[in-house]
Amino acid sequence: MTHILMVCLGNICRSPLAEGIMKSKLPSEGFNVDSAGTASYHIGSAPDRRSIAVAKKHGLNISNLKGRQFVVSDFDRFDYIYVMDASNYQNVLDLARTDADRSKVKFILNEVYPNENFDVPDPYYGGDDGFQNVYNMLDEACTKIANDLIS
Ligand code: 4NP
């Protein structure tokens, strides 16, 4: 089993979308995909309605996901930890205990733009088009991740 964790700040906009998209591209028998936020604001919350809507538009149902906070033991449970932006990256690395922990943490857009450390922009305070933009970025990155893991 390969375990993949998607991480953003609130775990209500970007990472639940990344979780839903990633799950749709991998066989569930071999892959476990989850998401978490570095902050505690939205523990137990459903994804933002705009993330639910853009997922639905693309045939994905993420409405049952529940927000949770990233915890140190996630380094033990997951093989790959994909962060959305530089702030998430720093927050997760601050919790890493070892080089093995640190080596699991990757900018998700580096899958498409290697070594650039580009951010998936936080769409929380913007309009609906921000969510479509995030969807497109995550879809491209998750396609690459799936192709690399399956081939
Ligand atoms: P996310 O977006 O990190 O993509 O889930 C955010 C959601 C909520 C907040 C910030 C970002 N917030 O400040 O409550």
mmCIF file of all heavy atoms in Angstrom, residues 8-16 41-42 122-125, ligand 1:
data_model
loop_
_atom_site.group_PDB
_atom_site.id
_atom_site.type_symbol
_atom_site.label_atom_id
_atom_site.label_comp_id
_atom_site.label_asym_id
_atom_site.label_seq_id
_atom_site.Cartn_x
_atom_site.Cartn_y
_atom_site.Cartn_z
ATOM 1 N N CYS A 8 -2.701 21.422 3.098
ATOM 2 C CA CYS A 8 -2.793 22.872 2.890
ATOM 3 C C CYS A 8 -2.928 23.540 4.262
ATOM 4 O O CYS A 8 -2.574 22.932 5.276
ATOM 5 C CB CYS A 8 -3.927 23.233 1.935
ATOM 6 S SG CYS A 8 -5.583 22.815 2.505
ATOM 7 N N LEU A 9 -3.432 24.752 4.309
ATOM 8 C CA LEU A 9 -3.545 25.458 5.588
ATOM 9 C C LEU A 9 -4.790 25.021 6.362
ATOM 10 O O LEU A 9 -4.714 24.569 7.500
ATOM 11 C CB LEU A 9 -3.567 26.973 5.336
ATOM 12 C CG LEU A 9 -3.832 27.882 6.532
ATOM 13 C CD1 LEU A 9 -2.754 27.716 7.599
ATOM 14 C CD2 LEU A 9 -3.906 29.341 6.081
ATOM 15 N N GLY A 10 -5.962 25.146 5.718
ATOM 16 C CA GLY A 10 -7.208 24.914 6.435
ATOM 17 C C GLY A 10 -7.799 23.523 6.271
ATOM 18 O O GLY A 10 -8.684 23.128 7.023
ATOM 19 N N ASN A 11 -7.342 22.785 5.265
ATOM 20 C CA ASN A 11 -7.906 21.477 4.883
ATOM 21 C C ASN A 11 -9.387 21.589 4.518
ATOM 22 O O ASN A 11 -10.166 20.669 4.772
ATOM 23 C CB ASN A 11 -7.696 20.418 5.987
ATOM 24 C CG ASN A 11 -7.977 18.975 5.558
ATOM 25 O OD1 ASN A 11 -8.385 18.145 6.373
ATOM 26 N ND2 ASN A 11 -7.793 18.658 4.298
ATOM 27 N N ILE A 12 -9.765 22.754 3.944
ATOM 28 C CA ILE A 12 -11.138 22.855 3.433
ATOM 29 C C ILE A 12 -11.193 23.273 1.963
ATOM 30 O O ILE A 12 -12.219 23.056 1.313
ATOM 31 C CB ILE A 12 -12.023 23.800 4.276
ATOM 32 C CG1 ILE A 12 -11.425 25.198 4.352
ATOM 33 C CG2 ILE A 12 -12.315 23.206 5.652
ATOM 34 C CD1 ILE A 12 -12.403 26.231 4.908
ATOM 35 N N CYS A 13 -10.150 23.877 1.421
ATOM 36 C CA CYS A 13 -10.192 24.323 0.012
ATOM 37 C C CYS A 13 -9.311 23.463 -0.898
ATOM 38 O O CYS A 13 -9.809 22.684 -1.702
ATOM 39 C CB CYS A 13 -9.780 25.785 -0.116
ATOM 40 S SG CYS A 13 -10.890 26.926 0.731
ATOM 41 N N ARG A 14 -7.981 23.616 -0.766
ATOM 42 C CA ARG A 14 -7.078 22.975 -1.721
ATOM 43 C C ARG A 14 -6.847 21.496 -1.463
ATOM 44 O O ARG A 14 -6.964 20.678 -2.395
ATOM 45 C CB ARG A 14 -5.734 23.723 -1.734
ATOM 46 C CG ARG A 14 -5.821 25.117 -2.305
ATOM 47 C CD ARG A 14 -4.583 25.940 -1.981
ATOM 48 N NE ARG A 14 -4.493 26.223 -0.550
ATOM 49 C CZ ARG A 14 -3.510 26.861 0.047
ATOM 50 N NH1 ARG A 14 -2.476 27.282 -0.671
ATOM 51 N NH2 ARG A 14 -3.524 27.095 1.341
ATOM 52 N N SER A 15 -6.489 21.129 -0.228
ATOM 53 C CA SER A 15 -6.095 19.722 -0.016
ATOM 54 C C SER A 15 -7.253 18.720 -0.129
ATOM 55 O O SER A 15 -7.021 17.605 -0.611
ATOM 56 C CB SER A 15 -5.296 19.531 1.284
ATOM 57 O OG SER A 15 -6.033 19.892 2.417
ATOM 58 N N PRO A 16 -8.490 19.066 0.250
ATOM 59 C CA PRO A 16 -9.565 18.097 0.002
ATOM 60 C C PRO A 16 -9.812 17.885 -1.495
ATOM 61 O O PRO A 16 -10.129 16.775 -1.934
ATOM 62 C CB PRO A 16 -10.811 18.727 0.655
ATOM 63 C CG PRO A 16 -10.305 19.817 1.515
ATOM 64 C CD PRO A 16 -8.991 20.257 0.976
ATOM 65 N N TYR A 41 -8.126 25.527 12.471
ATOM 66 C CA TYR A 41 -9.400 26.269 12.364
ATOM 67 C C TYR A 41 -10.594 25.413 11.950
ATOM 68 O O TYR A 41 -11.715 25.684 12.341
ATOM 69 C CB TYR A 41 -9.345 27.384 11.309
ATOM 70 C CG TYR A 41 -8.069 28.144 11.123
ATOM 71 C CD1 TYR A 41 -7.534 28.297 9.836
ATOM 72 C CD2 TYR A 41 -7.425 28.739 12.192
ATOM 73 C CE1 TYR A 41 -6.375 29.029 9.632
ATOM 74 C CE2 TYR A 41 -6.266 29.464 11.992
ATOM 75 C CZ TYR A 41 -5.740 29.607 10.717
ATOM 76 O OH TYR A 41 -4.602 30.316 10.512
ATOM 77 N N HIS A 42 -10.355 24.440 11.089
ATOM 78 C CA HIS A 42 -11.496 23.774 10.451
ATOM 79 C C HIS A 42 -11.561 22.273 10.740
ATOM 80 O O HIS A 42 -12.051 21.498 9.918
ATOM 81 C CB HIS A 42 -11.476 24.029 8.944
ATOM 82 C CG HIS A 42 -11.551 25.483 8.604
ATOM 83 N ND1 HIS A 42 -12.720 26.216 8.745
ATOM 84 C CD2 HIS A 42 -10.620 26.363 8.190
ATOM 85 C CE1 HIS A 42 -12.489 27.480 8.405
ATOM 86 N NE2 HIS A 42 -11.217 27.598 8.065
ATOM 87 N N ASP A 122 -3.858 30.106 -2.533
ATOM 88 C CA ASP A 122 -4.972 29.924 -1.612
ATOM 89 C C ASP A 122 -6.201 30.630 -2.193
ATOM 90 O O ASP A 122 -6.179 31.858 -2.355
ATOM 91 C CB ASP A 122 -4.582 30.537 -0.274
ATOM 92 C CG ASP A 122 -5.619 30.295 0.798
ATOM 93 O OD1 ASP A 122 -6.753 29.927 0.459
ATOM 94 O OD2 ASP A 122 -5.290 30.495 1.972
ATOM 95 N N PRO A 123 -7.269 29.894 -2.510
ATOM 96 C CA PRO A 123 -8.434 30.513 -3.155
ATOM 97 C C PRO A 123 -9.487 31.020 -2.173
ATOM 98 O O PRO A 123 -10.521 31.549 -2.581
ATOM 99 C CB PRO A 123 -9.011 29.340 -3.958
ATOM 100 C CG PRO A 123 -8.758 28.150 -3.075
ATOM 101 C CD PRO A 123 -7.439 28.431 -2.359
ATOM 102 N N TYR A 124 -9.200 30.888 -0.864
ATOM 103 C CA TYR A 124 -10.236 31.085 0.158
ATOM 104 C C TYR A 124 -10.913 32.452 0.088
ATOM 105 O O TYR A 124 -12.126 32.562 0.205
ATOM 106 C CB TYR A 124 -9.618 30.877 1.534
ATOM 107 C CG TYR A 124 -10.592 30.870 2.688
ATOM 108 C CD1 TYR A 124 -11.618 29.932 2.774
ATOM 109 C CD2 TYR A 124 -10.469 31.793 3.730
ATOM 110 C CE1 TYR A 124 -12.489 29.907 3.847
ATOM 111 C CE2 TYR A 124 -11.331 31.767 4.809
ATOM 112 C CZ TYR A 124 -12.336 30.832 4.859
ATOM 113 O OH TYR A 124 -13.203 30.813 5.929
ATOM 114 N N TYR A 125 -10.101 33.509 -0.117
ATOM 115 C CA TYR A 125 -10.663 34.860 -0.096
ATOM 116 C C TYR A 125 -11.029 35.387 -1.479
ATOM 117 O O TYR A 125 -11.420 36.536 -1.626
ATOM 118 C CB TYR A 125 -9.689 35.820 0.597
ATOM 119 C CG TYR A 125 -9.543 35.515 2.065
ATOM 120 C CD1 TYR A 125 -8.396 34.897 2.543
ATOM 121 C CD2 TYR A 125 -10.575 35.801 2.963
ATOM 122 C CE1 TYR A 125 -8.267 34.582 3.895
ATOM 123 C CE2 TYR A 125 -10.451 35.485 4.308
ATOM 124 C CZ TYR A 125 -9.299 34.877 4.767
ATOM 125 O OH TYR A 125 -9.184 34.566 6.093
HETATM 126 P P1 4NP B 1 -7.036 25.941 2.317
HETATM 127 O O1 4NP B 1 -7.691 27.398 2.336
HETATM 128 O O2 4NP B 1 -5.724 26.066 3.085
HETATM 129 O O3 4NP B 1 -6.825 25.678 0.878
HETATM 130 O O4 4NP B 1 -8.009 25.015 2.974
HETATM 131 C C1 4NP B 1 -7.956 28.109 3.507
HETATM 132 C C2 4NP B 1 -9.082 27.832 4.235
HETATM 133 C C3 4NP B 1 -9.368 28.552 5.366
HETATM 134 C C4 4NP B 1 -8.516 29.553 5.783
HETATM 135 C C5 4NP B 1 -7.377 29.827 5.050
HETATM 136 C C6 4NP B 1 -7.092 29.090 3.925
HETATM 137 N N1 4NP B 1 -8.812 30.312 6.936
HETATM 138 O O5 4NP B 1 -8.084 31.279 7.215
HETATM 139 O O6 4NP B 1 -9.799 30.008 7.634
#
